[in-house]
Amino acid sequence: MKLSVLDQSPILSDSDPQEAMRQTTELAAHVDRLGYHRLWVSEHHSTNSLAGSAPEILATHLAAHTKRIRVGTGGVLLPHYSAYKVAESFRVLETLHPGRIDLGVGRAPGGMPNVNLALNRGKLPRVEDYPKQVEQLMSYLHGEDPAGMNIYATPKGDTSPELWMLGSSGTSARLAADLGTSYSFAHFINGHGGMGAMDRYNNHFTSSIQQTEPAGNVSVFAVCADTQERAEYLASSLDLALLLIEQGGVRHHFPTPEEAFNYSYSFFQQERIRENRKRMVVGDKETVKQELESLADAYGVDEIMVNTIVHPFEERLHSYELLADAFNLTQEG
């Protein structure tokens, strides 16, 4: 099974955006050496707890600081942008790092509702145009002229970025199948319905200029530590962070385990934490390995993307080390 990484550049307690970006850069080099398959970075706007607002720029930086791992976006929120411009940006990336670039796209706003207006010059994006945008994007990436305007995405080349559609529902799965892209389900966002969505994708897949067979993966929160007890302690900070997100609280950083320990939880909040654990895998390396393999089997995929947000940063690095060891990844010699 392939093991990959989704990183959202979280801003930890007593940290700042510059440090979050430095940590993402260090993490990229770390998981590259450990033998992970791919690394994606996300797009979030007007948030104080996640530093990644321009994943195409961050991916360029990370590709330059790594050697083997595939690097890409999870993902570019396409309704905000021109398919042609996105294609050219990623054709530049592919030219710089041929055979290593992924372009994951989604249609979420990436922030509060007003983000839509700010990114679209005071207008709401036409999400109904999204399927056509993805179709045009794939054509541009592969050197075609989908609009019949005698224009092409440059620089041209012999290889193209791999296009992935991201989703947390069956709608995106069917669209990915119809257009013939790869498909990634965000289990870390929605712990329900993902297996049905992946089945829909596989059962309706149509070959395309990019690929002739379906290819899917699933992303999940994971916290791995030397012991189950230590993993639970570290994961408590993510429990609290997800709870605060659901309650619409303004967050300036991801809390520490100590903050989570001292937080006074109501009965309802404790129930929400138990429900949110369906989006997470927590434990020592053997426990996490077994649960990730079971998740991959349930989804019918051969790749899991792990999203680890723990405090301090060194524990994040260690979590990925333990998983690399558990899965016998081929580390750089």
Side-chain angles (χ1 to χ4, degrees):
M1 188 177 83
K2 294 189 288 289
L3 210 57
S4 298
V5 176
L6 172 65
D7 191 69
Q8 296 177 290
S9 301
I11 302 173
L12 303 180
S13 180
D14 300 323
S15 185
D16 57 34
Q18 185 175 9
E19 176 62 13
M21 290 294 190
R22 188 202 66 76
Q23 290 174 354
T24 290
T25 305
E26 183 178 343
L27 175 65
H30 186 64
V31 297
D32 184 30
R33 290 190 296 268
L34 290 174
Y36 281 79
H37 180 59
R38 73 177 93 237
L39 166 70
W40 287 352
V41 289
S42 58
E43 178 176 339
H44 295 275
H45 299 285
S46 190
T47 173
N48 294 316
S49 58
L50 299 172
S53 58
E56 68 279 12
I57 295 176
L58 184 53
T60 304
H61 173 74
L62 298 178
H65 284 77
T66 52
K67 299 176 181 178
R68 303 183 297 167
I69 196 169
R70 295 188 65 90
V71 177
T73 56
V76 170
L77 304 179
L78 194 57
H80 297 317
Y81 313 115
S82 154
Y84 179 67
K85 178 58 179 174
V86 172
E88 288 209 315
S89 295
F90 278 80
R91 284 238 48 92
V92 169
L93 250 174
E94 181 69 20
T95 302
L96 291 170
H97 306 281
R100 289 183 55 210
I101 302 303
D102 296 329
L103 170 50
V105 298
R107 62 179 179 180
M112 299 300 288
N114 282 345
V115 163
N116 280 319
L117 300 176
L119 287 170
N120 292 278
R121 294 177 293 178
K123 300 178 181 179
L124 293 175
R126 289 174 52 86
V127 293
E128 60 268 25
D129 293 338
Y130 180 63
K132 186 65 174 179
Q133 279 188 292
V134 178
E135 188 176 14
Q136 289 184 337
L137 178 59
M138 182 184 289
S139 295
Y140 281 130
L141 289 172
H142 288 268
E144 296 183 344
D145 175 24
M149 299 171 62
N150 195 31
I151 60 170
Y152 301 88
T154 55
K156 294 183 179 180
D158 296 330
T159 62
S160 297
E162 190 171 306
L163 183 61
W164 286 75
M165 288 197 65
L166 316 181
S168 56
S169 71
T171 301
S172 296
R174 183 56 191 265
L175 182 58
D178 291 342
L179 297 180
T181 74
S182 299
Y183 177 66
S184 179
F185 187 86
H187 188 92
F188 76 102
I189 293 176
N190 180 10
H192 301 279
M195 297 153 202
M198 193 63 70
D199 285 342
R200 183 179 300 183
Y201 167 71
N202 288 320
N203 293 336
H204 294 89
F205 181 84
T206 303
S207 63
S208 67
I209 190 173
Q210 173 172 285
Q211 62 197 78
T212 59
E213 299 292 334
N217 67 32
V218 57
S219 52
V220 61
F221 284 123
V223 178
C224 189
D226 293 316
T227 66
Q228 184 73 35
E229 182 180 17
R230 180 65 176 172
E232 291 289 346
Y233 173 74
L234 295 172
S236 66
S237 62
L238 183 55
D239 289 332
L240 177 57
L242 295 178
L243 185 65
L244 295 176
I245 290 171
E246 290 181 344
Q247 295 177 342
V250 177
R251 295 179 301 120
H252 298 283
H253 61 262
F254 276 82
T256 65
E258 291 77 13
E259 288 178 90
F261 179 79
N262 292 318
Y263 193 88
S264 181
Y265 296 95
S266 69
F267 173 79
F268 173 78
Q269 289 172 327
Q270 291 172 342
E271 288 299 309
R272 286 306 308 161
I273 287 174
R274 277 189 280 272
E275 180 66 20
N276 282 332
R277 279 298 182 100
K278 296 177 181 178
R279 302 191 268 158
M280 302 165 59
V281 177
V282 178
D284 58 36
K285 68 179 184 181
E286 293 305 324
T287 299
V288 174
K289 179 178 185 290
Q290 182 178 2
E291 292 193 26
L292 291 181
E293 288 176 336
S294 296
L295 188 68
D297 288 342
Y299 272 86
V301 299
D302 66 353
E303 179 184 358
I304 294 287
M305 299 198 80
V306 174
N307 182 1
T308 300
I309 302 177
V310 295
H311 190 290
F313 173 65
E314 289 73 22
E315 293 284 4
R316 190 151 130 232
L317 297 179
H318 188 50
S319 181
Y320 285 115
E321 288 173 0
L322 291 171
L323 286 180
D325 182 58
F327 281 91
N328 296 313
L329 299 186
T330 304
Q331 301 188 23
E332 188 177 49

